[in-house]
Amino acid sequence: MLEQLSVRNYAIMRELVVDFSSGFTVLTGETGAGKSILIGALGLLGGGKADADVVRAGQEQAEVAGVFVVEGNREALAWLGAREIEPEDGRVVVRRVVRSSGRSSAFIQAAPVTVADLAEFSGFLFDIHGQHEHQSLFRTELHRQYLDAFGGLEGDAAAYAEVFRRLTERRRELEDLLSKERDLVRERELLAHAVEEIEAARLTPGEDEQVEQELSLLSHLEQVAEDLKDFFSLATEGPQAVLPALKQMRRLLGQVERVDRRVEPLGARLESAYYELEDVTEQIRSYREGLDFSPERLEAVAERSALIQRLKRKYGDTVEEVLSFLEEARRKLSRLESYDEETARLRMEVEELQREVLRRAKALMEARVRVGEEFARRVETIIRSLGMQKARFSVQVEQRLSERGAPVCTPSGMDRVEFLIAPNPGEDFKPLRKIASGGEISRVMLAIKTLTAQSDPIATLVFDEVDTGIGGEVALAVGEYLYEVARYKQVLCITHIASIAARGDRHLVVRKRVEGNETMADIEYVEGDDREEELARMLSGDVDSRVSREHARELLMKYGGSTRG
């Protein structure tokens, strides 16, 4: 809902701030006072064309801002959420700036947006019907939405759209699989070779270190044997052998202990050293006896080392990493080996979803044809009561077909929905854009909104030119329908007819005044005597006429917005 509209330096409007509320608001004023200018300013917030000549003379830029309540508007909130724009207290500020150079900029809250984004977002907030560009009834893609809203088909359309979405996703998955088939086959071959190569090696964790250690020993075995021989010679043989010398040293220290007990700890330490060296010597003896130089073993260990190094160069820096690569390769290979099964499964699911989409699309199209007949009949009844007595209205539901004649489905169904009209006898049905005038299109939209007001998510409807070329009973009917729609929507209507203006819950008057060399437009709410005076002006142009004042008073008593239940 539009809560406030502020205009600065737009055309003849210097600075205006207008507060709005729900229900039916009428805007009146003398011809040229600026009523349509105000609607044009609102159209800027709908993404309308921004011309430099809308900037007030002598100013650098014009600015229009609107405060809209978006709480409960799921489409608007989803749009904002997708762009990380946060409402404040359930409201957003939409702003448009037009510079004297002709350039313009748009903002939602403080976030700059493109004019296209502005138009898309405002489409969730308000509709303007009349002579302005922001004319949603000319957008044939919305005709289907109006029809579905009237017939209660939104649920069926949403269910169909969900199945169509799933079909699109599965098709994409299948296409991805098929497009990658050559790469997947190549990857499967590489992985299979890697698994076979690593499994054949029968690696064990830490084996690379063990093999390198053994290879180093076998490569230097002669030197090791010579060193051990010298070790034994020093430990056990010759006049300077260590073990006999330690034994002799222990005997001599034992003699000293008998004389002086203070050296007893030293003797114990010397005895410990003797036994420790004796044990080391014995273990070295066993190690030496176990050494066995075999050229065949050296060759086998060297080959094993080369194999491990080759695998490490290809699959990891350590044997553990190579084994980890093996496990991952097995998992990938398992998934790749199920490629044929996955492809077959997706093909089957796509075929099932295609049948389901076609079934639902056909049922939806049949329902739209059926609902379209009733919708056209009721719209035609209403527009005839709104002054288009000979007009005929039709809903065309046409199946989409390919060049080969096969049904073509889109996210909204297998059909095209378009509203057609024949305003006069003898004329063929044609699209609304081609033959409907501003006043006629406003009345057609009024009829549609009357039928869909409770289900249509757009909260604010603006009607301009809805009363063009009508009067008498037709004007009364227009007022009645506007009043009825305003039970569910915020309705703003520019009117020149007093019987329509009298039905408003609120009444705005636009007045033009001249100060010095400047012409300006002001706007104010009127009620009581002031409203009666404005209606008298609309009736006869003479606000002092007793007859006009009495007529205005009667209209307010009979149709005044205060009577809304």
Side-chain angles (χ1 to χ4, degrees), residues 280-297:
V280 168
T281 302
E282 185 58 33
Q283 290 192 41
I284 292 296
R285 183 194 308 277
S286 298
Y287 172 72
R288 180 187 178 192
E289 290 174 353
L291 292 178
D292 180 23
F293 177 77
S294 167
E296 292 79 10
R297 178 60 183 170

Side-chain angles (χ1 to χ4, degrees), residues 174-192:
L174 180 59
E175 289 171 0
D176 287 344
L177 272 181
L178 295 176
S179 67
K180 297 174 181 176
E181 182 174 11
R182 181 176 299 176
D183 292 337
L184 292 174
V185 169
R186 185 183 298 111
E187 184 179 4
R188 180 164 54 187
E189 292 176 352
L190 292 174
L191 288 172

Side-chain angles (χ1 to χ4, degrees), residues 22 198 521:
S22 59
I198 297 173

Side-chain angles (χ1 to χ4, degrees), residues 238 322 354 453 472 511 526:
V322 174
Q354 284 176 334
R511 294 188 175 94
V526 293

Side-chain angles (χ1 to χ4, degrees), residues 450-497:
T450 299
L451 297 175
T452 63
Q454 296 186 58
S455 55
D456 186 356
I458 296 176
T460 300
L461 306 177
V462 182
F463 290 93
D464 187 13
E465 290 193 344
V466 70
D467 57 8
T468 299
I470 65 171
E473 293 183 1
V474 173
L476 294 177
V478 169
E480 178 64 28
Y481 282 116
L482 286 169
Y483 186 79
E484 177 65 22
V485 172
R487 292 176 57 193
Y488 309 99
K489 304 294 180 184
Q490 179 189 44
V491 175
L492 312 179
C493 177
I494 292 178
T495 182
H496 300 278
I497 298 178

Side-chain angles (χ1 to χ4, degrees), residues 145-190:
Q145 296 180 24
Y146 292 135
L147 183 64
D148 288 351
F150 169 78
L153 301 178
E154 297 101 327
D156 293 339
Y160 163 82
E162 173 59 22
V163 177
F164 186 87
R165 183 193 62 79
R166 286 165 47 203
L167 172 60
T168 302
E169 287 183 353
R170 297 301 176 272
R171 278 175 170 168
R172 187 180 301 115
E173 292 175 14
L174 180 59
E175 289 171 0
D176 287 344
L177 272 181
L178 295 176
S179 67
K180 297 174 181 176
E181 182 174 11
R182 181 176 299 176
D183 292 337
L184 292 174
V185 169
R186 185 183 298 111
E187 184 179 4
R188 180 164 54 187
E189 292 176 352
L190 292 174

Side-chain angles (χ1 to χ4, degrees), residues 17 75 104 133 156 166 185 203-204 217 225 247 452 491 559:
V17 177
E75 290 84 357
S104 74
E133 295 176 4
D156 293 339
R166 286 165 47 203
V185 169
L203 298 175
T204 58
L217 174 61
K247 188 174 183 180
T452 63
V491 175
Y559 299 120

Side-chain angles (χ1 to χ4, degrees), residues 48-232:
K49 185 178 180 181
D51 292 323
D53 56 11
V54 303
V55 180
R56 184 176 173 81
Q59 302 299 318
E60 293 184 357
Q61 65 182 39
E63 181 175 328
V64 180
V67 178
F68 291 89
V69 178
V70 295
E71 187 174 7
N73 190 327
R74 289 179 297 177
E75 290 84 357
L77 291 173
W79 192 95
L80 293 170
R83 292 156 181 81
E84 299 183 347
I85 300 175
E86 291 290 335
E88 185 173 346
D89 296 328
R91 292 161 173 79
V92 293
V93 177
V94 180
R95 187 163 58 94
R96 185 85 178 271
V97 177
V98 182
R99 296 171 183 80
S100 56
S101 63
R103 297 176 62 86
S104 74
S105 51
F107 304 86
I108 299 176
Q109 298 292 67
V113 296
T114 65
V115 174
D117 282 341
L118 182 68
E120 181 179 4
F121 178 64
S122 68
F124 303 124
L125 305 178
F126 64 89
D127 267 345
I128 298 178
H129 311 292
Q131 61 184 336
H132 299 279
E133 295 176 4
H134 197 73
Q135 185 60 268
S136 63
L137 200 52
F138 289 154
R139 296 164 54 195
T140 55
E141 67 271 16
L142 295 180
H143 294 183
R144 173 189 52 79
Q145 296 180 24
Y146 292 135
L147 183 64
D148 288 351
F150 169 78
L153 301 178
E154 297 101 327
D156 293 339
Y160 163 82
E162 173 59 22
V163 177
F164 186 87
R165 183 193 62 79
R166 286 165 47 203
L167 172 60
T168 302
E169 287 183 353
R170 297 301 176 272
R171 278 175 170 168
R172 187 180 301 115
E173 292 175 14
L174 180 59
E175 289 171 0
D176 287 344
L177 272 181
L178 295 176
S179 67
K180 297 174 181 176
E181 182 174 11
R182 181 176 299 176
D183 292 337
L184 292 174
V185 169
R186 185 183 298 111
E187 184 179 4
R188 180 164 54 187
E189 292 176 352
L190 292 174
L191 288 172
H193 173 74
V195 168
E196 181 181 2
E197 186 177 29
I198 297 173
E199 286 180 341
R202 299 183 180 278
L203 298 175
T204 58
E207 183 182 1
D208 48 347
E209 295 181 1
Q210 298 172 5
V211 168
E212 290 306 312
Q213 183 177 350
E214 184 177 3
L215 180 61
S216 177
L217 174 61
L218 291 174
S219 300
H220 302 84
L221 194 60
E222 292 183 2
Q223 182 63 45
V224 170
E226 188 64 27
D227 291 340
L228 292 179
K229 179 181 178 182
D230 292 344
F231 176 89
F232 273 100

